[in-house]
């Protein structure tokens, strides 16, 4: 008798190898998988400007990176710590506007650089809920702890998400990039259980309508395969390390050739040796 609904995934006909540049953008789950890829010796750039949760901001970042259109001081918003770039993580704020923009563009250029030649782009969508900064009418990536009164909140519709994502996927494909989507298994409990389900379902429907991209079932691996609270961290929202390792193993099964798996294993062993702390008696 089986007590789990296990995922049985087919190996990709186009494996990823260590020569392939990887660009990973999306929710904080991206960082977990990106760290494991980096330890396994892959050339990976993962969330250099912090997590990106909603598809509207993700699309804007990719479009600007493809255009190599850097950010300007005029795009900053004044707030409690001086000047804030609400597209990215709260660390991009400070009392001197020029210093904030220099930090933003220094890290943003990493994305543009990866996209200057064919790469595998892995996009993890976290939430269909967005916050709009009322004064600028722009959907933000991070509220930087500004007062809630300066934002409005709503749920993006599938009809809003698909055209913009499809446009950027088409551009990426035309330049020789490979695009893989996934939906983050991290639960946004602040939206309530029903709200979280509506949000994730919206993302699934949107991704299902995109042509020219692949889908990797990270969400299904935790929610439908593992399906047990013991695979969550103490906050009951994020997957545990064991769960992330399991999902990463599924990713390797799909996208690594035997030779790549061997090279990854050797890189992991080398990393562990280099970071081993000897206990002196």
């Amino acid at each position: 008798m089986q007590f789990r609904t296990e995922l049985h995934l087919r190996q990709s006909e186009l494996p990823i190898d260590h020569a392939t540049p990887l660009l990973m953008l999306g929710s904080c789950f991206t960082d977990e998988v990106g760290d494991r890829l980096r330890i396994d010796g892959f050339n990976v750039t993962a969330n250099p400007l912090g997590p990106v949760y909603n598809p509207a901001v993700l699309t804007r970042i990719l479009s600007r990176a493809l255009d190599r259109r850097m950010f300007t001081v005029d795009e900053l918003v004044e707030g409690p710590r001086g000047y804030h770039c609400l597209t990215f993580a709260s660390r991009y704020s400070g009392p001197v506007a020029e210093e904030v923009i220099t930090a933003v563009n220094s890290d943003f250029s990493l994305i543009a650089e990866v996209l200057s030649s064919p790469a595998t782009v892995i996009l993890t969508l976290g939430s269909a809920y967005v916050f709009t900064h009322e004064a600028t009418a722009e959907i933000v990536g991070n509220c930087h702890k500004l007062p809630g009164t300066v934002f409005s909140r709503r749920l993006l519709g599938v009809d809003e998400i698909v055209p913009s994502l499809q446009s950027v996927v088409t551009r990426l494909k035309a330049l020789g990039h490979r695009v893989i989507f996934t939906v983050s298994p991290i639960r946004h409990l602040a939206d309530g259980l029903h709200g979280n389900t509506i949000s994730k379902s919206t993302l699934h429907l949107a991704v299902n309508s995109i042509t020219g991209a692949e889908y990797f079932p990270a969400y299904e691996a935790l929610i439908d395969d593992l399906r047990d609270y013991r695979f969550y961290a103490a906050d009951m929202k994020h997957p545990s390390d064991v769960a992330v390792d399991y999902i990463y193993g599924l990713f390797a099964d799909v996208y690594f050739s035997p030779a790549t798996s061997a090279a990854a294993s050797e890189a992991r062993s080398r990393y562990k040796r280099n970071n081993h702390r000897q206990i002196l008696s």
Side-chain angles (χ1 to χ4, degrees):
M1 181 178 293
Q2 289 186 328
F3 293 95
R4 280 174 51 208
T5 306
E6 295 184 50
L7 285 173
H8 299 286
L9 304 178
R10 182 179 301 176
Q11 188 172 35
S12 173
E13 296 179 358
L14 296 171
I16 293 169
D17 58 33
H18 287 81
T20 305
L22 303 176
L23 174 63
M24 304 180 69
L25 299 174
S27 82
C28 49
F29 182 71
T30 296
D31 299 308
E32 296 275 7
V33 177
D35 286 344
R36 285 160 173 79
L37 284 165
R38 193 175 294 109
I39 288 170
D40 281 0
F42 288 88
N43 177 15
V44 58
T45 301
N47 279 349
L49 293 112
V52 181
Y53 295 98
N54 71 72
V57 171
L58 192 60
T59 300
R60 186 194 314 154
I61 292 169
L62 287 166
S63 296
R64 291 188 70 143
L66 288 169
D67 293 335
R68 287 187 169 269
R69 183 160 59 94
M70 298 294 119
F71 289 79
T72 66
V73 168
D74 294 340
E75 296 176 87
L76 298 179
V77 170
E78 291 191 53
R81 294 188 299 281
Y83 297 90
H84 299 253
C85 180
L86 300 182
T87 301
F88 300 115
S90 58
R91 66 176 178 266
Y92 297 103
S93 61
V96 182
E98 290 77 11
E99 292 180 358
V100 173
I101 282 298
T102 296
V104 167
N105 286 331
S106 175
D107 291 340
F108 180 67
S109 64
L110 298 174
I111 299 174
E113 183 60 31
V114 176
L115 294 179
S116 65
S117 59
T120 294
V121 181
I122 303 172
L123 306 175
T124 301
L125 306 182
S127 177
Y129 284 104
V130 295
F131 287 87
T132 300
H133 185 248
E134 294 285 1
T136 61
E138 188 167 85
I139 294 174
V140 303
N142 193 298
C143 293
H144 284 222
K145 296 185 178 180
L146 268 65
T149 53
V150 305
F151 300 102
S152 60
R153 181 177 181 269
R154 68 184 181 89
L155 181 74
L156 290 175
V158 175
D159 58 341
E160 294 177 275
I161 299 170
V162 172
S164 58
L165 269 184
Q166 183 64 71
S167 176
V168 78
V169 167
T170 300
R171 290 188 66 188
L172 288 166
K173 294 287 288 184
L175 294 170
H177 301 294
R178 178 183 189 179
V179 182
I180 301 171
F181 278 106
T182 191
V183 173
S184 171
I186 296 173
R187 304 193 304 164
H188 290 237
L189 296 183
D191 300 326
L193 291 176
H194 178 67
N196 178 68
T197 300
I198 294 296
S199 172
K200 300 293 188 182
S201 298
T202 299
L203 297 176
H204 277 103
L205 287 169
V207 169
N208 193 57
S209 299
I210 302 294
T211 59
E214 303 165 46
Y215 179 74
F216 175 74
Y219 178 89
E220 292 82 353
L222 181 59
I223 303 300
D224 296 313
D225 183 344
L226 296 179
R227 199 177 178 82
D228 193 303
Y229 278 116
R230 64 193 166 125
F231 294 110
Y232 284 89
D235 63 4
M236 294 293 113
K237 297 184 291 185
H238 292 78
S240 67
D241 286 341
V242 170
V244 178
D245 286 340
Y246 178 73
I247 296 170
Y248 180 63
L250 292 177
F251 183 86
D253 289 344
V254 173
Y255 290 108
F256 295 0
S257 69
T260 298
S261 292
S265 179
E266 174 56 32
R268 194 180 317 129
S269 296
R270 186 166 55 250
Y271 173 86
K272 290 179 179 178
R273 289 195 300 270
N274 291 340
N275 289 273
H276 175 69
R277 295 181 62 183
Q278 185 175 6
I279 299 176
L280 300 178
S281 57

